[in-house]
Amino acid sequence: MATTQETQRSEPATAEGKAELDVFRYIPEEDDEPHTETYEIETFEGMTVLDALIKIRDEQDSSLTVRHSCRMARCGSDAVYINGTQRLACNTQVSELSQPIDVEPLPRFDVIRDLVVEMNEFYDRMESVEPWFQPDHEPETGEEYLQSPENRKNIDTVLDCIWCGACTSSCSPAATDSDFPGPAALAKAYRFYKDEREGEETRKRRLEMLESSHGIYRCHTQFNCTEVCPKGISPTEAIMEMSRDAVKEKLRFWR
Amino acid sequence: MSTQKPSKTAGWNWFLQRVTGVGLVVLLGFHFAVEHFIVGAANVTAGNTVERITNGLIQGDHVLGQITINMPAFLYQATAISLLGFSVFHGMYGVYNVLMEQDTLRAYEKPIKYFFIVFSAALFVQGILIFLAFFEPFWQVYDPR
Amino acid sequence: MSQDRRVDSYDRGRIEDVGRWKDWAKHKPGMWAFYLHRFTGLVLSFYLVMHLTVLGTGFWLGHTEYTEIIHGLESLFIVKLLEVGLFAAFVFHALNGVRIVMFDMTIGLDVQEQLFYLSIALSFAVVMVGVPFFLL
Ligand code: FES
């Protein structure tokens, strides 16, 4: 029984054995320039890249710094650049990667130390779309802000965002245009834009706020954000829907 | 970050970029078909260009053999002028946006914008002058012989 | 934003911004579509300017000179080859442009990769059909 299950999951041969990791290292107090260090570790079945990094830190080099917390793809603090793609270290199996595994901090963010990047810029972008609930009218006293299940369906996926920054790191217009909120922030804006409890006024205002050539119209449909999102969100789709609505709003006869 | 300025024109420009884009698929396709597929680039002369523009008479003997299409002159002229306008807008707005995507160039946003407006206008005027040059009253101006 | 930059953080520079060319093999179809669309767009814009300049100058010189300029250019094989390139740029830009307009109307977003491959395949087919018209 156990063997059939094993084959069904088609565990690669490297499930247990050795793995080689090329890790980006930069300690501002010691290094002028970043460099790459190679570590070899013993792997175990189900080992994630985060496990591997922690193992390196525990057993080989205690100065290696990586930000992490939940280890279950929930907090979004350990997005790194693994083998040329933005991924969550805790959500990536060592066994499914080609060796040596290249681990770098998120591209286009400033590096504070090793794999830890400065996220303030990202949080500023998130804040620029006012990601908080702003209803037109307060409900009658004692009532709750009730959302209809149908309306909730629209934002099911975008609500899963964990602010890891992978998508914004993968988006080239976000990198070259600092006024562009980037995919994560625009998906967040979509979450409120679609929430009918906010009312028509706020919806209009939100759309106007985003409508600029450095806003929703800056998206080039590269789909990088959709590809890298560990939560399966498609910011591209959200942005396209908002820009479509914004233009529709202009062409009233179209509706 | 919160310096995002809402823009009245951005949406329209974006929309126009799409409209001209779709228009250009047809217009530029037509232009290629006429100049390269029916007439053949090597067979283009001032004479048969004048025929096309003033009479809408597309005549060619290229790979496909002898082809003659007689369009209403105004229709051919309309495609020519809209091809000019669409391509200048689509091309120049596109390049302008490629530049404006770079933070380093944002400091020169105003001058770049005015440069592109003036440059596009100049291109359009140039195109109109070329267009007019195909009509008889203007021949003398360009070609004194 | 840059004022928030920590003094001791390592700024990896603008090369990071443009694209991770080091990892070009990892780029996904959507990104390649963007690169190609932008490249062909810039090529076509550049050609538009040259086209209007050359033809305009040709006309200002006179009808005979206009015909001579065209024949002079067309007698060069390299010009013909470049014209095939121009045609290819146009066809891809047009087909991928249709793909992008579809996305703007939120059509086909989940089949974007297939649409990209389709636009590549169609461009290739159309350009192959066009080659004899340009080279003969
Ligand atoms: S550690 Fe929390 S998402 Fe990976």
Side-chain angles (χ1 to χ4, degrees):
Chain A
M1 206 47 208
T3 39
T4 40
Q5 266 179 356
E6 211 82 284
T7 39
Q8 267 166 8
R9 273 194 283 135
S10 65
E11 214 64 59
T14 50
E16 271 171 78
K18 285 202 185 310
E20 207 181 299
L21 281 89
D22 288 342
V23 185
F24 177 103
R25 296 302 310 271
Y26 173 70
I27 300 173
E29 292 80 33
E30 292 167 18
D31 311 332
D32 293 330
E33 284 297 313
H35 61 277
T36 309
E37 214 146 297
T38 309
Y39 302 96
E40 206 166 288
I41 49 156
E42 303 266 320
T43 59
F44 53 80
E45 199 185 333
M47 185 186 224
T48 64
V49 174
L50 183 62
D51 291 333
L53 292 170
I54 291 172
K55 196 166 179 185
I56 294 170
R57 190 185 61 192
D58 288 350
E59 294 171 5
Q60 299 184 29
D61 188 344
S62 57
S63 70
L64 176 65
T65 318
V66 55
R67 186 160 43 198
H68 64 92
S69 171
C70 66
R71 309 184 193 187
M72 49 178 277
R74 266 274 137 238
C75 67
S77 49
D78 65 340
V80 286
Y81 195 62
I82 303 167
N83 276 1
T85 319
Q86 288 84 354
R87 314 175 78 153
L88 293 179
C90 62
N91 202 22
T92 307
Q93 291 287 316
V94 168
S95 57
E96 67 188 30
L97 296 167
S98 65
Q99 310 238 10
I101 301 164
D102 230 327
V103 189
E104 276 181 57
L106 280 186
R108 295 158 179 160
F109 286 102
D110 290 350
V111 180
I112 295 176
R113 176 180 167 134
D114 293 346
L115 300 173
V116 179
V117 290
E118 173 62 65
M119 296 289 278
N120 275 349
E121 196 222 15
F122 173 72
Y123 297 142
D124 286 346
R125 283 170 193 259
M126 292 302 268
E127 212 177 304
S128 74
V129 300
E130 307 186 0
W132 51 85
F133 189 58
Q134 304 173 51
D136 283 352
H137 311 286
E138 306 255 316
E140 317 259 302
T141 25
E143 261 182 54
E144 290 173 50
Y145 289 101
L146 284 180
Q147 185 177 24
S148 71
E150 297 79 55
N151 188 237
R152 176 56 170 48
K153 273 228 165 60
N154 292 324
I155 54 174
D156 267 357
T157 45
V158 283
L159 267 177
D160 287 346
C161 178
I162 53 175
W163 296 46
C164 65
C167 53
T168 303
S169 160
S170 75
C171 173
S172 90
T176 56
D177 185 345
S178 57
D179 277 349
F180 180 51
L186 289 173
K188 189 54 79 185
Y190 177 84
R191 176 252 173 275
F192 289 98
Y193 168 74
K194 270 287 176 183
D195 194 328
E196 63 189 8
R197 292 172 298 172
E198 283 200 330
E200 191 62 14
E201 257 167 63
T202 319
R203 198 187 72 89
K204 279 236 175 71
R205 200 177 58 75
R206 282 193 185 279
L207 212 50
E208 262 161 37
M209 192 171 71
L210 298 170
E211 246 205 295
S212 118
S213 47
H214 301 285
I216 37 183
Y217 299 130
R218 180 56 78 212
C219 174
H220 296 306
T221 57
Q222 293 174 339
F223 290 93
N224 284 343
C225 50
T226 310
E227 302 273 1
V228 301
C229 180
K231 288 297 180 183
I233 304 170
S234 175
T236 319
E237 221 171 304
I239 299 168
M240 287 300 108
E241 201 172 323
M242 287 191 290
S243 53
R244 185 199 62 188
D245 286 4
V247 171
K248 261 193 194 172
E249 208 85 24
K250 290 188 180 300
L251 308 162
R252 290 199 160 265
F253 58 88
W254 222 25
R255 290 196 283 182
Chain B
M1 214 35 237
S2 42
T3 53
Q4 275 253 0
K5 284 179 288 198
S7 153
K8 290 255 180 294
T9 51
W12 282 115
N13 285 342
W14 181 89
F15 182 62
L16 269 181
Q17 187 76 351
R18 266 61 187 173
V19 171
T20 51
V22 172
L24 279 171
V25 174
V26 178
L27 290 170
L28 202 49
F30 177 70
H31 187 61
F32 267 107
V34 169
E35 307 291 340
H36 286 277
F37 286 67
I38 297 178
V39 180
N43 308 327
V44 173
T45 60
N48 60 31
T49 314
V50 167
E51 277 294 295
R52 283 196 293 282
I53 295 252
T54 51
N55 303 325
L57 184 67
I58 305 161
Q59 234 170 350
D61 189 8
H62 196 40
V63 178
L64 293 176
Q66 183 70 38
I67 292 180
T68 310
I69 300 171
N70 204 346
M71 285 172 75
F74 76 90
L75 194 64
Y76 190 88
Q77 289 156 9
T79 59
I81 298 288
S82 38
L83 175 62
L84 173 66
F86 280 27
S87 53
V88 168
F89 177 84
H90 193 87
M92 291 304 117
Y93 187 65
V95 175
Y96 169 73
N97 261 301
V98 171
L99 298 182
M100 280 307 104
E101 193 174 297
Q102 308 299 323
D103 269 343
T104 33
L105 294 174
R106 282 295 289 289
Y108 315 102
E109 182 158 2
K110 279 258 159 62
I112 292 179
K113 185 192 227 153
Y114 294 129
F115 169 79
F116 268 91
I117 291 174
V118 171
F119 189 66
S120 314
L123 276 184
F124 188 74
V125 170
Q126 162 90 338
I128 292 288
L129 287 177
I130 299 169
F131 178 77
L132 289 177
F134 293 104
F135 293 91
E136 211 172 344
F138 296 97
W139 285 357
Q140 267 68 36
V141 184
Y142 296 110
D143 198 358
R145 279 153 293 173
Chain C
M1 239 169 345
S2 44
Q3 67 268 22
D4 299 335
R5 179 163 278 162
R6 287 170 57 125
V7 193
D8 56 348
S9 68
Y10 181 73
D11 173 7
R12 280 181 289 169
R14 306 257 329 150
I15 193 71
E16 291 288 327
D17 298 350
V18 182
R20 296 284 296 191
W21 280 105
K22 179 169 81 70
D23 302 310
W24 62 272
K26 299 279 177 181
H27 286 175
K28 301 288 189 313
M31 194 61 179
W32 283 113
F34 163 75
Y35 283 140
L36 280 174
H37 199 76
R38 174 148 294 188
F39 175 70
T40 52
L42 290 174
V43 166
L44 289 165
S45 298
F46 178 73
Y47 182 79
L48 172 70
V49 176
M50 296 316 287
H51 195 49
L52 286 172
T53 311
V54 171
L55 282 195
T57 315
F59 244 95
W60 286 340
L61 291 174
H63 281 192
T64 340
E65 284 80 357
Y66 173 77
T67 311
E68 270 166 19
I69 287 178
I70 288 190
H71 287 177
L73 284 173
E74 287 301 325
S75 62
L76 300 171
F77 185 68
I78 181 78
V79 172
K80 293 185 171 195
L81 269 188
L82 287 173
E83 274 174 343
V84 176
L86 181 76
F87 183 59
F90 159 64
V91 174
F92 173 77
H93 199 83
L95 290 171
N96 195 54
V98 171
R99 171 177 169 269
I100 290 172
V101 171
M102 281 170 66
F103 296 157
D104 293 332
M105 300 192 290
T106 57
I107 301 169
L109 283 157
D110 6 311
V111 285
Q112 57 99 0
E113 291 191 12
Q114 289 87 325
L115 286 173
F116 171 59
Y117 296 136
L118 184 69
S119 64
I120 289 280
L122 281 180
S123 316
F124 187 74
V126 173
V127 171
M128 280 302 123
V129 170
V131 163
F133 290 88
F134 285 88
L135 295 188
L136 288 178

